Each structure stands twice: as structure tokens, then as C-alpha cells.
Amino acid sequence: MEATSKDTRGSFAAKKTPATPKGLLNIAVRAARAAGEIINRNFEDRDHITVQEKAKDDLVTNVDRECENAIKGVISRYYPEHGILAEESGSSKNTADSDYLWVIDPLDGTTNFCKGIPHIAVSIGVKIKGITSVGVVYDPIRNELFTATKGEGAILNNRKIRVSNIKGLDTGIFATAFPCRNREHLEHYQKILARVFSRCADIRRAGTASLDLAYVAAGRMDGYFELCLKPWDFCAGELLVREAGGVVTDFEGKPDYAKNGNIVAANPYAIQNLLREIKAAG
């Protein structure tokens, strides 16, 4: 609950919620659930959904925007001085002046949502002085809440989660996504896919990057690789993986995925084998 205190004029004023990792996580969860309610309300009754194409294979709906406004409203109520980077509205005016940056994907898996495929998430990450310190990925359809705070581990619905413990690729199930918005990279991606698929048990392509990463954190997937992601696609999910004992790199095995958008995630053993196949594809 938001505390109140009496000011010098006798009126009551809301106290600011402390900008500690715990306080930030509580508000991130509250914001994610607010967006999740909007998604659930519209998922079964899509007659009132309007769809626009921002670019080829890049959809946005009125529900995306409603979710984003709900999330921003919760954040602004408790942390009006914090910066926000959101998929639909971009950066807030005070982003450059704040040590705190909220990175938001209000409805990850918009195409799934439009088609009635129940694989959707709300993704909220919080950076403190450039370091991702809080992450929330919420699947409102399954009511699964993945959370992480830096140095405190990763949680799924109040239960600690860990990445899988496979070492090779042969028994592994790996998540990926086609570069449908960046098809100039398709030939390179196909070479990578062919090498990984020939050496692993199987591949999954579900269409929601934040949940792919959350599933790696929970050990449901043994690894994940994708090209050309945006910060809101992976900000929360990459923290989940790292706090669950995994490793996240770019395709060169370097920590530059935030710059180039190319991301690989797995446990410390499997990622070496995964990177070897990716690099061998040229």
C-alpha cells in the first residue's frame, strides 16, 4: 500500500515509493498485472481490436497502446521522475536525466494476440545507472509471473527457478525466431538454424521473445538464439536467465547484445556448444 503522511499544512500527501530493487519490483509487478488484465479482457473478444502495420510484419493494436498507457500510468504514479523506454511511444522526456530507466514491451507477441494464439506476455525491465536490476515477464493467459532482481535469483510464481543442466546439444530443445522483420539476414540465419537443428533434439519457434527467455530461465527450454532484437524484447528476460544461473551473450560470445540485438542464452555448458555452431555458420 502507498503510505501517506501529513504535511506542514495539515493535508495528506503520498510518500514516494522507495526506489530500491524490492520497491521497483513491486511496482513493476503491479504494472504488469494491470496490463495483463487488459489483455485477458480483450483476448476472447477481439471484435473491438484495431490492427495497424507499423512496418512489414510488425503489428500494433489498440490493446498494445492501452496496455502501455496502463503501465506508464502505474510507473508515473510512484516514480514520476524515472525515465521510460516503451515499444510504442519511445523514450520519455526525462530519460536522459534519470538514473532509472523502465524498458517496456506492453504486449509481446502481438501477432499471436491478433490470431488468438495464447502465447503472450508483458515485459518490464528496470535499469539502474545502465544496469538491468529488475525484470518482470508476465503471461496473463497462464497467470505465470516470472520475476528477478539482480543478485536475488529468478522466481516463477513464488518458486525459485534454474536453467537446465544439459551440457551438449543432442538432447536439447532450443527456442528461436525467424528474422521476419529483418529478412536481409535470412540467409545467414538459415545457415545457423541448419547447424543447430542438425545437432539438437528439436527447435521451437513460439513468437514471444520475452517468454522464450523466461522459459530458458525456468529450464523449459535449454537455450535460445535470435537476431535483431530491440531492448524491450529482452531487457527483463535476459536478467531472468542470468539470475537463474544462465549466460547471455551476442552471437560472438560477447556481452554486446544490448548494442547489436543478437542474443544467445543458455546454461554455462550448453552455450559454448551453441555458440560454436553459430560461429561455424559464418
Side-chain angles (χ1 to χ4, degrees):
M1 296 292 292
E2 187 179 17
T4 60
S5 61
K6 202 168 186 179
D7 66 18
T8 56
R9 295 165 295 179
S11 62
F12 283 85
K15 284 184 178 178
K16 288 183 178 179
T17 302
T20 61
K22 182 178 180 180
L24 293 165
L25 178 62
N26 288 339
I27 300 309
V29 168
R30 185 174 301 188
R33 289 196 181 278
E37 288 179 8
I38 296 168
I39 292 169
N40 281 333
R41 187 168 65 242
N42 287 276
F43 185 73
E44 295 298 339
D45 181 13
R46 294 188 297 281
D47 292 340
H48 304 293
I49 296 173
T50 59
V51 183
Q52 294 177 302
E53 192 173 57
K54 295 185 289 185
K56 182 174 173 56
D57 305 306
D58 190 4
L59 304 180
V60 63
T61 71
N62 56 315
V63 179
D64 290 74
R65 295 190 173 102
E66 187 178 352
C67 288
E68 185 166 297
N69 288 336
I71 293 168
K72 290 169 68 176
V74 173
I75 296 168
S76 297
R77 178 184 176 193
Y78 293 95
Y79 302 114
E81 73 282 7
H82 288 192
I84 295 175
L85 173 62
E87 179 177 11
E88 307 308 335
S89 59
S91 298
S92 61
K93 293 180 181 178
N94 56 342
T95 295
D97 300 323
S98 178
D99 288 337
Y100 299 88
L101 179 65
W102 295 69
V103 184
I104 301 165
D105 191 338
L107 201 171
D108 190 14
T110 299
T111 300
N112 286 349
F113 177 76
C114 292
K115 293 292 187 180
I117 300 169
H119 196 71
I120 303 157
V122 181
S123 178
I124 303 174
V126 187
K127 291 179 173 287
I128 304 175
K129 296 183 178 179
I131 298 173
T132 305
S133 302
V134 170
V136 172
V137 174
Y138 179 49
D139 177 348
I141 306 299
R142 298 177 181 85
N143 194 28
E144 289 192 328
L145 180 69
F146 299 84
T147 63
T149 52
K150 187 173 173 16
E152 299 293 332
I155 305 290
L156 167 55
N157 289 353
N158 300 314
R159 177 178 60 84
K160 282 257 188 181
I161 53 176
R162 295 287 294 177
V163 294
S164 73
N165 58 6
I166 69 163
K167 292 181 171 59
L169 301 185
D170 56 324
T171 61
I173 305 295
F174 294 89
T176 189
F178 306 118
C180 56
R181 299 174 189 169
N182 303 90
R183 299 193 182 205
E184 67 274 17
H185 299 295
L186 182 58
E187 184 176 353
H188 180 214
Y189 171 80
Q190 288 175 318
K191 292 177 181 178
I192 294 171
L193 180 64
R195 289 196 66 93
V196 175
F197 182 64
S198 68
R199 287 159 176 78
C200 72
D202 209 344
I203 297 281
R204 297 287 182 269
R205 190 268 193 261
T208 306
S210 60
L211 281 180
D212 285 339
L213 287 162
Y215 281 19
V216 172
R220 295 174 177 176
M221 295 290 173
D222 296 297
Y224 165 68
F225 60 97
E226 187 169 351
L227 284 159
C228 304
L229 291 175
K230 300 295 185 182
W232 45 79
D233 294 320
F234 61 78
C235 183
E238 63 96 2
L239 181 65
L240 286 169
V241 172
R242 291 191 287 108
E243 287 298 320
V247 178
V248 183
T249 74
D250 66 8
F251 279 24
E252 298 296 322
K254 300 176 182 177
D256 292 333
Y257 51 89
K259 297 177 183 177
N260 56 41
N262 303 331
I263 194 165
V264 186
N267 72 54
Y269 305 105
I271 198 166
Q272 299 302 323
N273 292 302
L274 191 54
L275 284 168
R276 184 176 63 246
E277 300 306 326
I278 290 172
K279 291 176 182 179

